[in-house]
Amino acid sequence: MSPGRLVLEAKGLHRDYGSVVAVDALDLSMSEGEFLTIVGPNGAGKSTLLSMLSGAMRPTTGSVSVCGEELDFARHEWRHRIGMLSHKGFLYDRMTVEENLNFYGKLFGIADLKDRIASRLRRVGLSERARSEVRKLSHGMRQRASLARALLHDPDLVLLDEPYSGLDPAAALVLRDVLEELKDGRRTVVMVTHNLREGLEMATRIAIQVGGRFEWEGSLKGARWEDFESHYHCVVEGRV
Ligand code: ADP
């Protein structure tokens, strides 16, 4: 299969917090259809990396391009290409789920908004809570609403920071199906997770991030997750 078009290109991406180097001169290229899972210990710089890839955080040095367009903090046109799910959620607490999606949908200029919202809510299993205020939702429901928001505008690049966090087993299954559907060859996905098993099953590429760098990167298609777990510990402990 020929590689798809280049969707994401990060060059020399670096972020310091004072004397702490969170992301250390990292390069990353991803084509259409690829699904990269990033795993690593707390403090490895995974969330910082995703924030920079989403354009929410400015790198100390380095650049990010999405579909050939460099993220420029003074402009906003590129935002329609990116969908981000993070612990921040980007939802307004005192608005209902539907009002939130309506607000974001209008920002993105989505034409068939009513149908789009209904279909996204159905997909994440939240139709019954469309009229609930976000502040009244459980953590797992909020996570589903955030997922519906992240995917509302059909982005080319989907960034997921710990999407399994706080989900009960039924909600985790829904998420897994939604993520499988994102592997439609058209989308590019970067997921940060502590769930090694789900991370491995979903990925076309895996990176183990330690100390702001990808200490190991590759494809483990068909690998047993128990073997991946041992490999992960070796990399994190510096034994490979
Ligand atoms: P991870 O997502 O892998 O747990 P983070 O990206 O959250 O890692 O953090 C990477 C490093 O940057 C850690 O050492 C963390 O303490 C530090 N860090 C993250 N955010 C801030 C901040 N706002 N101010 C200072 N240090 C930070």
Side-chain angles (χ1 to χ4, degrees):
M1 200 173 79
S2 62
R5 79 189 157 119
L6 189 63
V7 171
L8 174 66
E9 191 164 40
K11 286 189 189 158
L13 206 55
H14 194 91
R15 174 77 194 197
D16 302 322
Y17 295 105
S19 61
V20 174
V21 176
V23 173
D24 191 0
L26 199 141
D27 295 321
L28 174 64
S29 291
M30 289 189 68
S31 301
E32 199 170 36
E34 287 193 298
F35 192 122
L36 171 69
T37 293
I38 303 175
V39 292
N42 293 133
K46 306 179 298 296
S47 294
T48 303
L49 173 62
L50 274 200
S51 293
M52 291 193 286
L53 296 180
S54 76
M57 183 187 284
R58 211 184 270 266
T60 309
T61 51
S63 65
V64 180
S65 297
V66 176
C67 301
E69 201 180 341
E70 189 165 331
L71 301 196
D72 173 347
F73 287 80
R75 296 166 59 227
H76 289 254
E77 291 82 6
W78 46 266
R79 287 192 195 275
H80 70 278
R81 296 194 182 278
I82 303 174
M84 169 85 168
L85 172 71
S86 80
H87 61 276
K88 288 187 185 133
F90 309 109
L91 296 171
Y92 294 95
D93 264 357
R94 289 185 179 273
M95 280 161 60
T96 66
V97 174
E98 202 168 53
E99 285 165 353
N100 266 285
L101 296 183
N102 208 39
F103 171 78
Y104 281 105
K106 285 191 173 143
L107 276 186
F108 287 117
I110 297 170
D112 57 340
L113 191 52
K114 201 161 177 264
D115 292 345
R116 182 83 67 99
I117 290 174
S119 112
R120 292 295 189 275
L121 288 180
R122 229 180 358 259
R123 192 62 202 91
V124 300
L126 213 56
S127 305
E128 319 250 289
R129 302 304 298 265
R131 305 243 155 89
S132 297
E133 281 184 2
V134 167
R135 69 193 170 108
K136 294 183 180 159
L137 299 180
S138 70
H139 173 78
M141 287 176 187
R142 206 179 254 258
Q143 186 81 334
R144 296 189 205 198
S146 301
L147 183 62
R149 186 205 54 77
L151 302 179
L152 186 65
H153 53 299
D154 212 6
D156 295 301
L157 176 64
V158 179
L159 304 169
L160 306 161
D161 195 356
E162 290 295 345
Y164 289 95
S165 128
L167 295 186
D168 66 31
L173 277 181
V174 171
L175 174 64
R176 194 177 159 175
D177 287 348
V178 173
L179 297 189
E180 279 294 350
E181 283 168 19
L182 290 179
K183 290 161 68 176
D184 58 2
R186 211 157 56 77
R187 218 94 44 172
T188 303
V189 185
V190 183
M191 174 169 77
V192 164
T193 184
H194 287 296
N195 190 327
L196 296 184
R197 188 172 200 158
E198 298 287 3
L200 175 68
E201 276 175 12
M202 216 51 79
T204 61
R205 282 165 68 178
I206 298 199
I208 303 177
Q209 188 169 336
V210 186
R213 293 168 174 267
F214 287 173
E215 280 299 329
W216 183 91
E217 199 187 345
S219 155
L220 286 170
K221 212 166 168 26
R224 291 180 344 129
W225 85 272
E226 293 89 340
D227 294 336
F228 175 52
E229 192 177 28
S230 317
H231 177 64
Y232 170 84
H233 289 298
C234 287
V235 171
V236 168
E237 288 156 25
R239 289 188 272 128
V240 285

